[in-house]
Amino acid sequence: MANVVVVGAQWGDEGKGKIVDWLSERADVIARFQGGHNAGHTLVIDGEVFKLSLLPSGIVRGGKLSVIGNGVVLDPWHLKKEIEGLRSQGVTITPETLMIAENAPLILPIHGELDRVREAQASVAKIGTTGRGIGPAYEDKVGRRSVRVADLADDATLELRVDRALVHHDALRRGLGLEPVDRDALLADLRAIAPSVLEYAAPVWKVLNEQRRAGKRILFEGAQGALLDIDFGTYPFVTSSNVIAGQAATGTGIGPGSIDFVLGIVKAYTTRVGEGPFPAELHDDDGQRLGERGHEFGTVTGRKRRCGWFDAVLVRQTCATSGVNGIALTKLDVLDGFETLKICVGYELDGTRLDYLPIAADQQARCTPVFEEMPGWSQSTEGARSWADLPAEAIKYVRRVEELIDCPVALLSTSPEREDTILVTDPFAD
């Protein structure tokens, strides 16, 4: 049976939550493979709004197994809060519907504190983090000093892991003018939260491989967007993990040969939260209009998103680095009513035309967009569920996007509602 990876193909906020929820009806297992609770997914189901930031989007659908893989950094206190919030909305969550990788690293309170202190330093350029400890938690993972889910089950191991982490953190905190970590209080907090995490702990790699062999359909869900990838994003204004599709394998323990289709989620225009280069950004009335019509505020942070025209150069890059087989184009309805639309088809850098975004940060900052204009449309596309419901100019826009990014449209989303989706190619088709 087909297994599908869903990745954001821009800077995040592309509408992954709705698409993953839409696809979850066809899947048996939904697995998160990277990130933490710093990227929000908003789902609208039968008029009720569900806001998720850590749990897989499939958790709100009955009869599915939701999995948090080892590539995710897990804040156990946030996990408990998010589970309680969903239960209050009538969602059933049990160890039979949710599993967490035993080797997933934990986000500790010291990680969030460190994140916020660093971002507040006046002498250091801001990255634009959410301050939730994601980056420092990944640093500890690579530095081999993480406390992981399995460590919560054995007190002697837990103490060893905490002591190893504090050798590093206390030295770092002294340099930042912070007090040493209260070891005993941290251990007490971890012991108290342990039961809320351990009841869901499982060898996720084993479970997923068994599910695959049994012919179950697995949907792999990432957070953020490929342009925030630690290697292929606009470094250093990126997240602290790999976001591209290859991470689905290493972030869950399933082999790359088990992935059959990569679906890239692409917004019909471009947005970005936080700092960093954005060649196609708009600072005029059109940018304001996109933000207002698209309700462009972060699910987790509430921060206003920067808005710009569709950047075909960047999406073409991310389709290549993630091996995208087809895209889901979202928020087409936000473009309704524009007399003229623009698409970024290249960059000018110091008098040279480029068809890609260079890696060097200083060059990225100097890139200016080369736009191609297209006629807009006056009719509404909101709620369209077939090509026949779309104005001719909207169809031309979609086809031009396909040409420019060298990738076909598999799905077209025309509103936040789950069923307002035009299916072109079913990613789960065998």
Side-chain angles (χ1 to χ4, degrees), residues 351-427:
T352 301
R353 176 76 175 259
L354 297 178
D355 62 356
Y356 69 97
L357 186 68
I359 288 294
D362 64 310
Q363 293 181 353
Q364 290 178 350
R366 296 202 308 277
C367 282
T368 58
V370 177
F371 286 119
E372 174 180 296
E373 291 190 356
M374 294 189 69
W377 53 88
S378 57
Q379 306 99 308
S380 173
T381 62
E382 184 175 0
R385 297 185 181 183
S386 72
W387 289 108
D389 296 332
L390 298 176
E393 292 83 1
I395 295 174
K396 290 177 183 177
Y397 182 84
V398 173
R399 295 307 184 202
R400 184 57 178 151
V401 165
E402 291 179 312
E403 292 174 358
L404 290 169
I405 67 174
D406 296 328
C407 192
V409 169
L411 300 169
L412 189 63
S413 172
T414 56
S415 92
E417 290 294 335
R418 186 172 182 267
E419 297 305 322
D420 291 341
T421 305
I422 300 172
L423 176 64
V424 181
T425 300
D426 187 349

Side-chain angles (χ1 to χ4, degrees), residues 50 66 77 86 116 136 218 227 269-270 274 285 346 361 377 410 417:
F50 297 90
S66 291
W77 296 275
L86 289 176
R116 293 185 292 273
I218 305 173
L227 292 171
Y269 51 101
T270 312
D285 291 343
W377 53 88
E417 290 294 335

